[in-house]
């Protein structure tokens, strides 16, 4: 019986966590559909702030990281495929390694490190200061004012950052291809376009949507779960990072199995 209790406790905790996540998603969606005209400006202003912090402020970091990654990827590929016509596989390598997998995945990891931690800490502080209860007391829906703008902002920002990442990675890859083989930009882009498919675009859009949701609602769950003292905030931030990373990698694996297996 003790063994069953020990086995069932984490399973029960995981199911409760999934239930809490589903509840957050449902309440946020419902608050979004019930949004009135007079509330759009307030929610839109908060959404813009989230887009600026998550997207614009991280743009240069994402572009620099992607530029180096695209260049290093082709340098390693050329070193391993030298003499085997590596220039003919440039498009496939860029699509499979960068555009299909590393672009959305590394962007999500970066957003978790910058934005999810900030959201969890901010909501945790608001919870301790009684600001969430104050919103309820004044008839303001916290899901509409706190969760909806953060979800929408992260969604838009992740999409923009993935596009930025892919463009910078292609630029880095082209620089290496140009220096190594003297390839023209037209040949390079034709190779990439031939390797791309509508399935890649669909998979990327699905990843963006699911990654943004997982990042936002994990951060909101742990941030709003802070109850007693300031010492819970670092714990909430740590749990947010670990849980969101696990969710992102699981989602990435499931989408890869669904689309490409």
């Amino acid at each position: 019986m003790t063994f069953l209790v020990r086995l069932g406790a984490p399973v029960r905790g995981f199911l409760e966590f999934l239930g809490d996540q589903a509840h957050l998603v449902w309440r946020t969606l419902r608050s979004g559909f019930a949004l009135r005209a007079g509330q759009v400006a307030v929610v839109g202003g908060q959404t813009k702030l989230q887009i600026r912090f998550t997207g614009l402020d991280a743009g240069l970091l994402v572009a620099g990281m992607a530029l180096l990654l695209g260049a290093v990827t082709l340098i390693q590929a050329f070193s391993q495929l030298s003499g085997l016509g590596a220039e003919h596989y440039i498009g496939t390598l860029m699509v499979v390694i960068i555009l299909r997998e590393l672009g959305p995945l590394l962007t999500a990891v970066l957003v978790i490190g910058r934005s999810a931690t900030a959201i969890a800490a901010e909501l945790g502080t608001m919870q301790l200061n009684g600001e969430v209860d104050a919103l309820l007391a004044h008839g303001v829906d916290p899901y509409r004012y706190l969760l909806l703008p953060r979800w929408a902002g992260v969604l838009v920002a992740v999409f923009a950052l993935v596009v930025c990442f892919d463009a910078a990675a292609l630029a880095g890859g082209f620089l290496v291809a140009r220096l190594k083989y003297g390839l023209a930009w037209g040949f390079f882009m034709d190779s990439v376009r031939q390797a791309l498919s509508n399935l890649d675009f669909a998979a990327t859009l699905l990843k963006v949507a699911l990654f943004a949701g997982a990042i936002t609602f994990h951060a909101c769950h742990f941030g709003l779960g802070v109850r007693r003292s300031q010492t819970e905030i670092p714990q909430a931030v740590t749990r947010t990072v670990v849980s969101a990373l696990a969710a992102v990698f699981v989602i990435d694996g499931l989408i890869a199995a669904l689309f490409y297996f």
Side-chain angles (χ1 to χ4, degrees), residues 220-245:
C220 292
H221 169 81
F222 290 109
L224 294 175
V226 174
R227 299 294 180 186
R228 293 182 296 273
S229 67
Q230 293 284 346
T231 58
E232 292 184 52
I233 294 178
Q235 298 174 6
V237 170
T238 301
R239 290 170 183 166
T240 295
V241 172
V242 174
S243 183
L245 283 174

Side-chain angles (χ1 to χ4, degrees), residues 12-22 217-218 221-222 243:
R12 178 181 177 181
F14 177 69
L15 293 177
E16 289 178 349
F17 174 76
L18 290 182
D20 290 340
Q21 289 287 289
F217 289 112
H218 278 69
H221 169 81
F222 290 109
S243 183

Side-chain angles (χ1 to χ4, degrees), residues 7-96:
L7 180 64
V11 175
R12 178 181 177 181
F14 177 69
L15 293 177
E16 289 178 349
F17 174 76
L18 290 182
D20 290 340
Q21 289 287 289
H23 176 73
L24 286 178
V25 173
W26 165 246
R27 289 292 301 271
T28 304
L29 283 174
R30 191 172 70 174
S31 69
F33 287 126
L35 195 65
R36 295 191 295 269
Q39 300 169 334
V40 172
V42 177
V43 174
Q46 293 296 314
T47 303
K48 290 178 182 178
L49 292 176
Q50 188 64 52
I51 292 173
R52 172 179 293 180
F53 175 72
T54 303
L56 292 179
D57 292 350
L60 288 178
L61 178 61
V62 169
M65 181 174 64
L67 188 71
L68 292 174
L69 183 63
V72 170
T73 298
L74 285 195
I75 289 173
Q76 293 292 338
F78 289 148
S79 67
Q80 297 297 320
L81 299 175
S82 58
L84 300 178
E87 66 274 15
H88 299 295
Y89 300 99
I90 288 176
T92 302
L93 289 170
M94 295 300 295
V95 169
V96 172

Side-chain angles (χ1 to χ4, degrees), residues 7 17 47 65 124 129 143 163 188 201 248:
L7 180 64
F17 174 76
T47 303
M65 181 174 64
N129 292 337
Y143 294 93
V163 173
F188 178 81
F201 288 109
V248 162

